[in-house]
Amino acid sequence: MAAKDDPIIIKKYANRRLYNTGTSTYVTLEDLAEMVKKGEEFTVQDAKTGDDITHPVLTQIIFELENKDGQNMLPIPFLRQLIAYYGDQMQMIVPSFLEQSMLAFSKEQERFREQMKGAIGKSPLDMMKITTPIKALEEQTRRNMEMFQNAMRLFTPFPPAGSAPAAAPAEPARKETPEKPDDLQELKDQIAAMQRKLDTMS
């Protein structure tokens, strides 16, 4: 049996059946979705090759959930933007941005849930306090977008078309493309700084 901290191994067979080696039972994508919601760690392996196929299986779960009535969470503009980043120079930093954004959202979400529980059955004045975590979420989203835009500038050495001519004289000194390793490190530093701020807010 796997150690307590080890992820559960889910084996996927050629007939598309999923086998939970932890419980010795066959499971469905819905079962895996419930495991995710409960915080249970698992990896999905191809039963024949042993390859890790966790990513495509989780993506398939999202696809299934998005196709259920009333459960759409991914707005069309977001999906369009996400698709546009595939193959783009920004592709390498999008995963980190999304991961940090979801971590920040999760922290605020827990605070929001607790305030919601505490406000049930209380006066309308107490219920009004719920707007505080909502505003915090909005503010965090705004900060995340600013961080993402700053990161985009790091990977875009040339000014966008139609930019003000006043900026032109300063550009010749920066004609050389910035080195990607330094830019990436600066982005990582920004993400780390944002995470420290979130930790202090908790």
Side-chain angles (χ1 to χ4, degrees), residues 18 20 104 119 180 184:
L18 298 162
N20 185 330
K180 293 293 174 68
L184 192 56

Side-chain angles (χ1 to χ4, degrees), residues 178-197:
E179 294 181 14
K180 293 293 174 68
D182 292 340
D183 292 342
L184 192 56
Q185 184 58 49
E186 187 173 348
L187 172 63
K188 288 179 179 178
D189 292 341
Q190 288 180 359
I191 292 174
M194 185 189 79
Q195 190 60 53
R196 286 194 294 272
K197 283 185 180 179

